[in-house]
Amino acid sequence: MMSVENTTQTLTPGFSDPVSQSQLVFRCLLDAMARPGSIETVDLDIEGPETLDLAATAIALALVDFETPLYLAPALATPAAETYLKFHCGTRIITEAKDAAFGILDGTPEDLSTFNTGTEEYPELGATLIIQIETIRTNGPLTLTGPGIKDSTELGLPGVPASFWDARAKLQRYFPRGIDLVFVSGAEMVALPRTTNVTLQSGKE
Amino acid sequence: MSMTQEAQPWQAPEHDKPVEQVEGYNFAYLDEQTKRMIRRAILKGVAIPGYQVPFGSREMPLPYGWGTGGMQVTAAVIGENDTLKVIDQGADDTTNAVNIRRFFAKTAGVATTEKTSDASLIQTRHRIPEKPLTDDQILIYQVPIPEPLRWVEPRETETRKMHALEEYGVMHVSLYESIARFGRITTAYNYPVQVNGRYIMAPSPIPKFDNPKMHQMAALQLFGAGREKRIYAVPPYTDVKSLDFEDHPFTIQSWEENCALCGADDSYLDEVITDDAGGKMYVCSDSDYCAERREAGHVGDQGEPQTPAQKGAAE
């Protein structure tokens, strides 16, 4: 009985209007995924768990459910966050990165290859990672090219180490296998699907 | 009927009057769990351009072959502020288009339009509008057979492997056989394309006339096949190349005639039989494009002037 009381005390609401708000968040993410490098803002007020950014909470509420196991980085996996996501999404929170359809991380992972990249025959099984960072900027040092981008576009993701882009570029050789990334900061999100080529202008990070 | 009967002003038939949103359905008909599943498939489709993502296609209140795949994609994407246009072979006023438009007006209460430029979502059966689409629009195709390799390899297990290994030689062989037999590639619609230099994709049965519009299109293109349970996508500004050979380059259809109503020489024309004595006329397949041109004052061989000034001149 105690645990139930605790749960209800710490549990904050999810979407106030699930039908229209999940559609709104999905369209934000669809725009972001279709136009890599374009920064989309979730225009919603959700009182989510403290460790999660608004955009991360919103994406989880809109897209994660019992069919999609969710990996939470240890730093984010507070009891409040786990309870919130389990209750509102009906999802399983897992600790084995390989089995996750979605992952929410604080900063880029040390090793991308610990996540599922799908198979050549079923590349859609590759994970979608939601990565929380401090800020997202529209000006460099990253230059993006690929589907969804007219010519090229610039993006700044401060704090993401150069080694991460190297590791990601290596992973891209295995296309169509791959991992799709959504960087979030507060209410903002920017997506880098597996097809986006990222070049780091030399000497910067 | 008297021949001297005066022409009545045109009125929308009963079935095409504006409809009210009906109660008792979730927004846009599908339940939320289904929408989530479709939305996840769409996102993976966008991330892997041209790859067919399997999805749990639902039964819709109309038969397979009437656009159930396109409708499920539309239902997952559409929001309260969207304006929906639906075309069937380019026309807004054919049975399939009218019914699907009314379906979403009823179940989602969204605004609908026949104007290409006013629409934020366009669901289409077998055409791409003539007017170039913009960054703010999404084009949703109804797809009967999503697998371009199906005509050369009936087994799904094999075509899946062929896509995985980029083993597409057999597709070129089938086009070559067409050249060997007829002297040219005879495929006129559903002409296979290669997306972003990787996946070979069925563009749905659009005429090959429309294929070049898919290349580097500003709008996002989504494809839904209900019976075959596949969703795929082409992101904006993505290379879409129609398959061909150096000595047999890809070409599109052209006509000696212009549109008989609006005089357009750059649009896809339908041949319309006008009597049983061999009479015929060619008109734009895209009804909105044709109407807009006529409103702007363009008149074809058999068209009637639309603007007051032109009417005056004709009298």
Side-chain angles (χ1 to χ4, degrees), chain B residues 149-185:
Chain B
L149 303 169
R150 187 61 71 232
W151 309 112
V152 291
E153 172 53 65
R155 288 167 297 181
E156 168 68 14
T157 48
E158 289 302 306
T159 53
R160 183 164 288 282
K161 200 159 276 169
M162 288 159 78
H163 282 297
L165 302 174
E166 211 176 336
E167 181 63 66
Y168 291 141
V170 67
M171 197 74 204
H172 282 97
V173 170
S174 95
L175 294 176
Y176 167 73
E177 282 175 346
S178 179
I179 294 171
R181 206 171 294 166
F182 304 108
R184 64 192 173 89
I185 297 171

Side-chain angles (χ1 to χ4, degrees), chain A residues 54-143:
Chain A
L54 173 64
T57 306
I59 293 171
L61 290 174
L63 290 171
V64 176
D65 63 24
F66 66 93
E67 292 183 329
T68 52
L70 174 70
Y71 172 85
L72 264 187
L76 306 176
T78 58
E82 290 197 354
T83 308
Y84 185 91
L85 292 166
K86 276 183 196 163
F87 180 82
H88 288 296
C89 303
T91 184
R92 278 183 298 141
I93 310 279
I94 55 171
T95 48
E96 192 61 51
K98 205 92 207 151
D99 300 331
F102 286 90
I104 306 181
L105 313 177
D106 57 333
T108 46
E110 301 244 322
D111 186 3
L112 256 184
S113 63
T114 54
F115 290 92
N116 190 357
T117 56
T119 64
E120 273 89 3
E121 296 189 10
Y122 293 93
E124 79 276 15
L125 299 177
T128 306
L129 298 186
I130 300 158
I131 300 173
Q132 302 192 160
I133 56 171
E134 283 295 313
T135 53
I136 300 172
R137 293 203 207 117
T138 49
N139 54 340
L142 305 173
T143 306

Side-chain angles (χ1 to χ4, degrees), chain A residues 19-20 22-23 26-27 34-35 62-63 65 67-68 120-124 126-128 147-148 176 180 194-195, chain B residues 27 32-33 36 39-40 43-44 47-49 51 54 77-80 82 135 160-161 164 196 198-199 218 236 238:
Chain A
V19 174
S20 71
S22 50
Q23 188 271 341
F26 164 70
R27 279 290 275 277
R35 297 167 203 282
L63 290 171
D65 63 24
E67 292 183 329
T68 52
E120 273 89 3
E121 296 189 10
Y122 293 93
E124 79 276 15
T128 306
D180 305 306
R194 62 192 79 179
T195 49
Chain B
F27 179 81
E32 289 304 300
Q33 205 281 318
R36 266 198 302 276
R39 285 167 181 167
R40 290 192 297 253
L43 289 169
K44 286 299 174 193
I48 315 165
Y51 168 76
V77 170
I78 202 165
E80 288 153 4
D82 276 310
D135 283 31
R160 183 164 288 282
K161 200 159 276 169
N196 196 34
R198 179 57 176 82
Y199 280 100
T238 299

Side-chain angles (χ1 to χ4, degrees), chain B residues 6-29:
Chain B
E6 280 204 27
Q8 295 291 313
W10 186 84
Q11 283 193 329
E14 199 57 41
H15 65 262
D16 206 15
K17 295 247 169 81
V19 289
E20 297 285 314
Q21 186 172 2
V22 293
E23 285 182 20
Y25 292 98
N26 189 26
F27 179 81
Y29 186 77

Side-chain angles (χ1 to χ4, degrees), chain B residues 195-212:
Chain B
V195 182
N196 196 34
R198 179 57 176 82
Y199 280 100
I200 285 192
M201 183 187 92
S204 87
I206 58 172
K208 65 177 181 176
F209 179 89
D210 284 342
N211 276 24

Side-chain angles (χ1 to χ4, degrees), chain B residues 85-153:
Chain B
K85 171 184 164 86
V86 185
I87 51 173
D88 171 8
Q89 301 276 12
D92 296 90
D93 53 4
T94 48
T95 311
N96 196 211
V98 169
N99 280 323
I100 292 173
R101 198 163 58 236
R102 283 164 54 88
F103 176 83
F104 284 108
K106 269 188 175 175
T107 58
V110 294
T112 59
T113 183
E114 297 193 357
K115 290 229 166 295
T116 302
S117 47
D118 292 350
S120 57
L121 296 182
I122 303 174
Q123 183 175 328
T124 176
R125 174 179 175 272
H126 307 181
R127 270 316 306 281
I128 298 174
E130 305 290 1
K131 183 179 271 190
L133 302 182
T134 66
D135 283 31
D136 306 324
Q137 296 178 308
I138 299 178
L139 184 60
I140 298 165
Y141 297 74
Q142 301 171 200
V143 181
I145 310 282
E147 180 49 75
L149 303 169
R150 187 61 71 232
W151 309 112
V152 291
E153 172 53 65

